């Protein structure tokens, strides 16, 4: 009996994603339909299934809301953290996300279900491609393609295991209908993820054959993040070093470049969702679409305006006027950065959120941009949006071709710094070279922030006439409170990750990996303090059993007893 493969899912592959495999026109002209025997599988058909596996990164399988509520960008997990509010028209709009924000976590929350399903749909596509590749008789670069597929599978499983406590794990050879979610421990699943990445690194090319395609350094960067999540600091250093020493990456010269379409797949981009406004906007960043600012004047259309920066996050960008450094002693939140604030600021704040009276990509941001000012304040997320001239002013709101970077170079620099700090044998930089190197890496990131203080940069996002932007590097010659001790270095790298990567879907996962006690203390302090501005936080708190999302109730009901709640 001949093995056959169904290719109908290929109609979901974006032109932009398939462009990483072959040309858009060629793919659209030759999309395989129907069924093929193993003998008929060739380069074109197998790489078509590979493109479908990549397209799983869009989290946009059968409609729009599953991408909004279970997004690949993980913005709803920033909303779970101290970095963001849900936003939108009020707490009742997309209430499922509001409940996550206030840590009322229930198994029937549709965001739990959508996130679970999106990743397993994507894994299914990976496995379809793997099975086809294993059966094909005439495919060039089969090892490389398998490496790409293993990297994608590792990413999808990593995304699941850092969100859900216990998940079913299966390979392409397994019968999914027999796999419970308690067969493997979390440690075992992390070991499977690391194995996939390690095997992929052995066969992936060092250089990209085309934009957006996974390479050896992509897998090494993902592995560095997996190792950080499991406190495998030697693994972080090894894989971060491989990325850094490859010579392929560098920080963009200006922080604003992160939000420019013409910088897609540039020197800072390691692993990114490839988006496109071609084909009637079928493959824009659907996971971020709810978050387009309301934009008074219809610059982006009347966007849904979800995903606001919190006051706590904006306050974290305050810098000490005596030294240009963050307030690492916890006092950053003692003063609110409002329109009357006259202290010093890290310029990254005005690349990250909108502030009333300040530029937004060359336009004036006003209260009219804020859909529910009384509920959520003024800080529309900004980093994910290019200038209005590069986006639509109608549905889909603000649709544009700006890639979303899952991993960028600054992330890897800071992970390497964190690993050096955690493994340092000495207690201060005077006695430990690892702490010195960690400071240098953090200062690389801060140097770019300092270089970005330029009110003439186009499009304009900063206004030096209204804000006192001041950023300095961590010094090498201070004693006392500024001495570079191991404890101070740890506080510095954690703060730098918050400032640099704000509203990019990292903060909640950083809090999780820094430990339950740290997360609970941080979040409960945040909710208490923030409730003065956002009354819906009043009386709310986070407990240890609310950190991971529950297994979706619908999945338990449909599992015939295979899945258990944790």
């Amino acid at each position: 009996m001949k093995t056959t493969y169904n290719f109908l899912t290929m109609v979901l592959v974006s032109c932009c994603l398939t462009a990483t495999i072959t040309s858009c026109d060629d793919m659209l002209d030759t999309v395989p339909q129907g069924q093929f025997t193993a003998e008929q599988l060739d380069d074109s058909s197998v790489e078509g299934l590979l493109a479908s596996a990549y397209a799983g990164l869009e989290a946009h399988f059968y409609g729009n809301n599953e991408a909004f509520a279970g997004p690949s960008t993980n913005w709803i997990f920033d909303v779970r953290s101290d970095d963001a509010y849900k936003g939108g028209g009020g707490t009742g709009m997309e209430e499922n996300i509001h409940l996550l924000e206030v840590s009322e976590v229930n198994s029937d929350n549709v965001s739990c279900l959508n996130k679970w399903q999106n990743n397993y749909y994507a894994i299914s596509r990976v496995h379809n491609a793997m099975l086809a590749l294993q059966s094909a008789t005439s495919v060039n670069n089969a090892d490389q393609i398998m490496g790409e597929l293993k990297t994608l599978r590792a990413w999808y499983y990593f995304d699941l295991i850092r969100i859900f406590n216990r998940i079913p794990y299966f390979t392409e050879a397994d019968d999914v209908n027999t796999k419970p979610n308690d067969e493997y421990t979390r440690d075992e699943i992390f070991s499977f993820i690391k194995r996939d990445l390690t095997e992929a690194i052995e066969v992936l090319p060092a250089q990209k054959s085309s934009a957006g395609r996974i390479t050896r350094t992509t897998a090494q960067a993902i592995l560095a993040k997996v190792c950080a999540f499991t406190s495998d600091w030697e693994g972080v250093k090894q894989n971060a070093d491989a990325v850094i020493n490859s010579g392929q990456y560098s920080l963009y010269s200006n922080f604003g470049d992160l939000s420019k379409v013409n910088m897609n797949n540039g020197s800072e981009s390691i692993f990114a969702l490839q988006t496109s406004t071609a084909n009637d906007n079928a493959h824009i960043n659907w996971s971020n679409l709810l978050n387009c600012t309301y934009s008074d004047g219809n610059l982006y259309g009347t966007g849904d305006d979800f995903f606001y920066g919190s006051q706590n996050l904006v306050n974290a960008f305050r810098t000490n006027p005596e030294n240009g450094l963050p307030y690492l002693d916890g006092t950053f939140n003692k003063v609110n950065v409002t329109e009357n604030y006259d202290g010093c600021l890290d310029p990254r704040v005005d690349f990250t959120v909108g502030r009333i009276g300040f530029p937004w990509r060359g336009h004036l941001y006003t209260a009219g941009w804020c859909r529910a000012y009384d509920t959520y304040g003024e800080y529309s997320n900004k980093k994910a949006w290019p200038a209005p001239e590069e986006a639509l002013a109608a549905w889909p709101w603000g649709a544009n071709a700006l890639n979303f970077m899952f991993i960028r170079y600054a992330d890897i620099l800071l992970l390497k710094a964190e690993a050096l700090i955690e493994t340092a044998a000495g207690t201060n930089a005077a006695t430990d070279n690892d702490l010195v190197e960690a400071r240098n890496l953090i200062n690389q990131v801060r140097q770019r922030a300092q270089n970005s203080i330029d009110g003439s940069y186009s499009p304009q996002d900063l206004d030096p006439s209204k804000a006192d932007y001041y950023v300095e590097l961590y010094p090498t010659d201070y004693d006392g409170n500024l001495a570079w001790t191991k404890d101070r270095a740890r506080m510095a790298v954690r703060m730098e990750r918050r400032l640099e990567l704000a509203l990019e879907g990292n903060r909640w996962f950083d809090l999780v990996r820094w430990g339950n006690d740290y997360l609970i203390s941080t979040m409960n302090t945040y909710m208490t303090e923030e409730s003065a501005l956002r009354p819906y936080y009043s009386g709310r708190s986070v407990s240890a059993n609310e950190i991971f999302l529950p297994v979706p109730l619908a999945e338990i009901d449909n599992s015939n007893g295979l899945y258990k709640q944790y």
Side-chain angles (χ1 to χ4, degrees), residues 96-111:
N96 48 296
I97 303 174
H98 169 73
L99 293 174
L100 294 181
E101 180 182 353
V102 297
S103 199
E104 188 174 327
V105 182
N106 300 306
S107 62
D108 60 352
N109 188 305
V110 71
S111 289

Side-chain angles (χ1 to χ4, degrees), residues 96-268:
N96 48 296
I97 303 174
H98 169 73
L99 293 174
L100 294 181
E101 180 182 353
V102 297
S103 199
E104 188 174 327
V105 182
N106 300 306
S107 62
D108 60 352
N109 188 305
V110 71
S111 289
C112 299
L113 179 62
N114 288 156
K115 191 63 188 174
W116 179 285
Q117 289 182 335
N118 284 343
N119 280 281
Y120 279 112
Y121 290 159
I123 289 167
S124 177
R125 288 187 177 194
V126 169
H127 288 167
N128 284 341
M130 284 182 168
L131 290 169
L133 181 62
Q134 291 162 3
S135 298
T137 58
S138 176
V139 175
N140 294 317
N141 300 320
D143 288 345
Q144 174 187 329
I145 294 171
M146 185 60 75
E148 292 175 77
L149 291 168
K150 287 183 177 181
T151 303
L152 288 169
R153 178 168 67 184
W155 178 257
Y156 296 135
Y157 272 124
F158 176 51
D159 200 31
L160 284 164
I161 196 63
R162 61 183 178 168
I163 292 170
F164 299 95
N165 190 25
R166 298 297 290 271
I167 62 171
Y169 183 94
F170 43 84
T171 69
E172 75 281 7
D174 291 321
D175 179 357
V176 300
N177 296 311
T178 65
K179 306 296 284 186
N181 70 327
D182 61 354
E183 180 177 10
Y184 301 112
T185 65
R186 289 179 58 82
D187 286 344
E188 287 174 320
I189 291 174
F190 276 114
S191 72
F192 300 151
I193 292 168
K194 290 179 180 181
R195 181 182 63 194
D196 264 351
L197 291 167
T198 301
E199 291 176 355
I201 289 165
E202 294 297 317
V203 297
L204 286 169
Q207 302 285 336
K208 293 179 182 178
S209 57
S210 54
R213 196 153 181 179
I214 285 170
T215 65
R216 186 181 308 154
T217 51
T218 312
Q220 288 164 328
I222 296 172
L223 186 51
K225 287 184 75 72
V226 174
C227 289
F229 205 87
T230 57
S231 299
D232 175 7
W233 300 116
E234 293 303 324
V236 174
K237 287 189 283 187
Q238 177 184 342
N239 288 284
D241 276 342
V243 175
I244 294 167
N245 295 333
S246 72
Q248 297 181 50
Y249 304 102
S250 61
L251 298 175
Y252 293 155
S253 60
N254 189 289
F255 201 77
D257 288 338
L258 295 169
S259 302
K260 290 187 173 181
V261 173
N262 65 0
M263 298 299 289
N264 279 350
N265 300 310
S267 65
E268 193 157 348

Side-chain angles (χ1 to χ4, degrees), residues 294-356:
Y294 199 64
S295 68
D296 188 32
N298 205 39
L299 294 175
Y300 292 100
T302 50
D304 290 292
D305 210 24
F306 282 74
F307 194 27
Y308 266 52
S310 70
Q311 186 67 58
N312 185 286
L313 171 64
V314 172
N315 293 347
F317 286 94
R318 293 175 57 227
T319 58
N320 190 318
E322 296 180 1
N323 53 44
L325 297 175
Y327 290 90
L328 300 182
D329 59 359
T331 61
F332 72 87
N333 204 43
K334 298 300 182 183
V335 177
N336 284 341
V337 177
T338 64
E339 60 182 350
N340 298 318
Y341 176 75
D342 61 359
C344 298
L345 281 172
D346 187 315
R348 287 175 290 189
V349 67
D350 286 327
F351 292 112
T352 301
V353 298
R355 290 200 297 146
I356 292 173

Side-chain angles (χ1 to χ4, degrees), residues 369-384:
W369 290 53
C370 308
R371 184 178 182 185
Y373 177 86
D374 290 343
T375 303
Y376 293 116
E378 68 182 85
Y379 305 121
S380 291
N381 81 90
K382 185 179 188 181
K383 189 181 288 184

